[in-house]
């Protein structure tokens, strides 16, 4: 399968949407449900801080657009630099849960630094938090992909993203309530956020299945450079030995595979994945589109200023995005499995482009904030889970986390550059011209991605 794959899973029947959701939950693996729960709890913690941060920095500390862009870019940049290391380490030690747990734990441990009333301490806390996110993202997504059959990758990621977004929806609500009720305002938000993050780590340790040292082995996608050896029956284990059944994971060998080689997990093999044309196209398009994706924080500040939203309501703007994301994440994943990931992925960026256009136009209508936030949610629902599902389909299981990390790192570095450039453009030209340049760049990059991700000839 590939981003442009149009394979429809066998046995799929039409039924009411509620029945489809219930069927997806019943069919979901315990790993996906457990990881979804961990992400839900962790996102409550993260989004509590994210929701109040623009208000705290811009309106509380008086940080300008350039300074805010640098701080926002540093967060993305740190996550990008660490993500590749996290993915490679998880593949190297063959324990995705361990590396993901280290990432979740680090993010929880640094929350108390937010209580230090100093911009430097705040920057260190945010950088270490993003380090934890970078460490855990690829191993977590690898666990999801290894627990679902290839034809249901979109559904598995869609379900996880829906649960994840439930936390993103609850986080700003909790932060807003604490700001209105607690005497200590921001300090109270940061303290509760740390406690919730610790709860997420506890759920991971207790309920996410371990044993990832015996990573699932799927069929090696065509064209993927994987080195290794097999036994006489064509079955592999970590040391080259197999059990009686020869199966090492939940999904087993894909239909029609003659043998599944054990990958040599090192940096050379990880970067060698980029020799695969399909993965190279995915990585290139993720970077191009990331260069023109304005960060969430900037988009909410733009919306607050251009739509006349009160400053006290700024922490609630992410709720609109999260609500739409929550409603559409699972349907978007199912749709991607059915009609092709390329179509859904590009449609998501078209939604983001429309959001930029509305902000530039800024019509005098009370519906503007709702329309922009709805389009922003559509963008995330159509891209956030679809991209790693597409990557997982073309990367062998022993290098799954490394492949996901390669693409994620490129995308995050591109968004880091975008944050720096957008902040500088805003400070120099103003918010309107800066957004116009981003919109024009997004339109051009989306057109290039549409060509680069066209279905390949021959078997997919």
């Amino acid at each position: 399968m590939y981003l442009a794959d149009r394979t429809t899973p066998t046995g799929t029947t039409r039924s009411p949407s509620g029945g489809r959701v219930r069927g997806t939950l019943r069919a979901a693996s315990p790993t996906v449900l457990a990881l979804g729960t961990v992400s839900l709890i962790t996102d409550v913690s993260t989004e509590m801080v994210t929701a109040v941060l623009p208000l705290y920095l811009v309106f509380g500390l008086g940080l300008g657009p350039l300074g805010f862009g640098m701080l926002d870019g540093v967060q993305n940049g740190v996550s990008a630099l660490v993500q590749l290391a996290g993915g490679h380490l998880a593949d190297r030690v063959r324990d995705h849960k361990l590396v993901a747990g280290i990432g979740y734990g680090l993010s929880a441990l640094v929350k108390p630094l937010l209580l230090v009333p100093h911009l430097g301490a705040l920057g260190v806390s945010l950088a270490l938090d993003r380090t934890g996110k970078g460490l855990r993202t690829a191993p977590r997504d690898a666990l999801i992909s290894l627990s679902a059959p290839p034809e249901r990758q979109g559904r598995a990621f869609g379900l996880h993203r829906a649960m994840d977004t439930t936390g993103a929806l609850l986080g700003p609500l909790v932060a807003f309530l604490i700001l209105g009720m607690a005497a200590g305002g921001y300090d109270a938000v940061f303290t509760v956020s740390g406690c919730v993050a610790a709860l997420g780590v506890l759920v991971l340790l207790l309920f996410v299945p371990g044993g990832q040292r015996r990573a699932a082995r799927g069929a090696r996608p065509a064209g993927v450079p994987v080195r290794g050896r097999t036994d006489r029956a064509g079955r592999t284990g970590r040391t080259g030995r197999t059990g009686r059944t020869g199966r090492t994971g939940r999904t087993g060998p894909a239909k029609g595979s003659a043998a599944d080689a054990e990958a040599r997990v090192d940096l050379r093999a990880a970067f060698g994945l980029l020799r695969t044309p399909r993965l190279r196209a995915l990585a290139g398009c993720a970077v191009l589109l990331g260069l023109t994706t304005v960060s969430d924080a900037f988009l909410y500040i733009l919306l607050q200023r251009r739509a006349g939203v009160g400053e006290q309501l700024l922490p609630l703007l992410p709720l609109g995005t999260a609500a739409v994301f929550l409603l559409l994440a699972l349907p978007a994943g199912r749709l991607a499995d059915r009609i092709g990931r390329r179509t859904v992925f590009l449609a998501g960026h078209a939604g983001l482009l429309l959001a930029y256009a509305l902000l530039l136009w800024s019509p005098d209508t009370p519906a503007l904030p709702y329309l922009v936030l709805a389009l922003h949610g559509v963008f995330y629902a159509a891209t956030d889970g679809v991209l790693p599902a597409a990557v997982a389909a073309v990367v062998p299981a022993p290098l799954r986390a490394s492949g996901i990390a390669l693409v994620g790192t490129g995308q995050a570095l591109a968004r880091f550059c975008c944050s720096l450039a957008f902040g500088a453009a805003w400070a120099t030209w103003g918010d309107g011209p800066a957004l116009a340049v981003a919109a024009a760049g997004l339109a051009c990059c989306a057109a290039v991605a549409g060509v680069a991700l066209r279905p390949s000839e021959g078997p997919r």
Side-chain angles (χ1 to χ4, degrees):
M1 293 177 66
Y2 177 46
L3 193 61
D5 185 23
R6 295 177 178 271
T7 304
T8 300
T10 57
T12 300
T13 58
R14 297 182 182 272
S15 61
S17 59
R20 286 200 297 265
V21 172
R22 288 191 295 270
T24 300
L25 288 173
R26 286 194 299 268
S29 74
T31 299
V32 175
L33 292 174
L35 285 170
T37 303
V38 173
S39 292
L40 188 157
I41 296 171
T42 303
D43 246 35
V44 170
S45 169
T46 301
E47 294 303 322
M48 286 176 64
V49 176
T50 302
V52 303
L53 204 57
L55 188 67
Y56 180 56
L57 293 175
V58 176
F59 300 108
L61 300 182
L63 202 63
L66 180 58
F68 185 82
M70 292 181 64
L71 186 60
D72 188 64
V74 165
Q75 293 185 67
N76 290 325
V78 169
S79 177
L81 293 174
V82 176
Q83 190 172 158
L84 184 57
H88 174 68
L89 180 62
D91 286 337
R92 190 67 180 259
V93 302
R94 302 290 176 90
D95 197 332
H96 300 105
K97 177 182 175 180
L98 173 63
V99 179
I102 293 173
Y104 281 109
L106 179 60
S107 293
L109 285 173
V110 300
K111 285 294 192 293
L113 283 177
L114 294 170
L115 297 172
V116 179
H118 190 276
L119 188 60
L122 181 65
V124 171
S125 175
L126 293 176
L128 291 176
D129 177 73
R130 295 298 90 183
T131 299
K133 179 176 175 58
L135 282 174
R136 68 181 182 251
T137 298
R140 180 204 65 201
D141 285 350
L143 281 169
I144 295 170
S145 70
L146 293 171
S147 67
E151 71 275 7
R152 292 185 178 270
Q153 295 280 319
R155 288 174 173 83
F157 278 101
L159 176 60
H160 174 268
R161 289 335 191 237
M163 298 179 71
D164 179 273
T165 308
T166 301
L169 185 64
L170 294 174
L173 279 175
V174 175
F176 187 75
L177 289 174
I178 293 175
L179 280 177
M181 297 173 59
Y186 295 112
D187 285 349
V189 171
F190 299 150
T191 300
V192 174
S193 173
C195 295
V196 175
L199 177 61
V201 176
L202 183 62
V203 172
L204 174 79
L205 295 175
L206 294 179
F207 297 104
V208 173
Q212 289 304 316
R213 292 181 182 277
R214 295 183 301 161
R217 300 301 204 266
R220 179 167 60 92
V224 176
V226 179
R227 301 170 182 168
R229 59 185 183 275
T230 59
D231 62 11
R232 293 180 181 178
R235 300 168 298 190
T236 65
R238 188 181 180 196
T239 61
R241 299 188 296 270
T242 62
R244 293 181 182 178
T245 63
R247 294 177 294 183
T248 58
R250 294 181 58 87
T251 60
K255 193 178 206 178
S257 66
D260 186 21
E262 179 182 4
R264 188 180 70 184
V265 181
D266 56 20
L267 285 176
R268 183 178 179 183
F271 283 105
L273 291 171
L274 292 175
R275 293 197 296 268
T276 309
R278 293 177 176 178
L279 184 64
R280 191 164 60 244
L282 283 170
C285 291
V287 169
L288 277 178
L289 294 168
L291 286 171
T292 53
T293 301
V294 177
S295 75
D296 295 357
F298 269 129
L299 186 137
Y300 297 139
I301 293 174
L302 282 166
L303 182 58
Q304 183 269 327
R305 294 189 175 188
R306 289 180 163 258
V309 178
E311 292 179 4
Q312 72 277 11
L313 296 178
L314 183 61
L316 294 181
L317 293 182
L319 294 179
T321 297
V324 177
F325 189 3
L326 173 62
L327 290 174
L328 297 182
L330 184 54
R334 293 176 60 90
L335 187 64
D337 285 339
R338 185 182 296 270
I339 70 172
R341 291 161 186 160
R342 169 182 178 267
T343 302
V344 175
F345 185 71
L346 294 176
H349 284 88
L352 183 62
L353 184 59
L354 284 176
Y356 289 175
L358 283 174
L359 284 173
L360 286 169
W361 181 23
S362 297
D364 187 15
T365 170
L368 178 61
Y370 303 101
L371 291 173
V372 171
L373 293 175
L375 290 168
H376 199 220
V378 168
F379 161 68
Y380 275 114
T383 60
D384 195 64
V386 172
L387 181 60
V391 174
V394 297
V395 175
L399 292 170
R400 186 68 49 84
S402 297
I404 292 174
L406 277 173
V407 177
T409 296
Q411 184 183 57
L413 283 174
R415 290 182 176 180
F416 163 70
C417 295
C418 181
S419 288
L420 294 180
F422 189 82
W426 185 339
T428 304
W429 304 326
D431 58 350
L435 185 59
V437 171
L442 179 59
C444 295
C445 292
V448 172
V451 175
L453 298 177
R454 286 181 302 181
S456 58
E457 298 297 330
R460 302 184 182 95

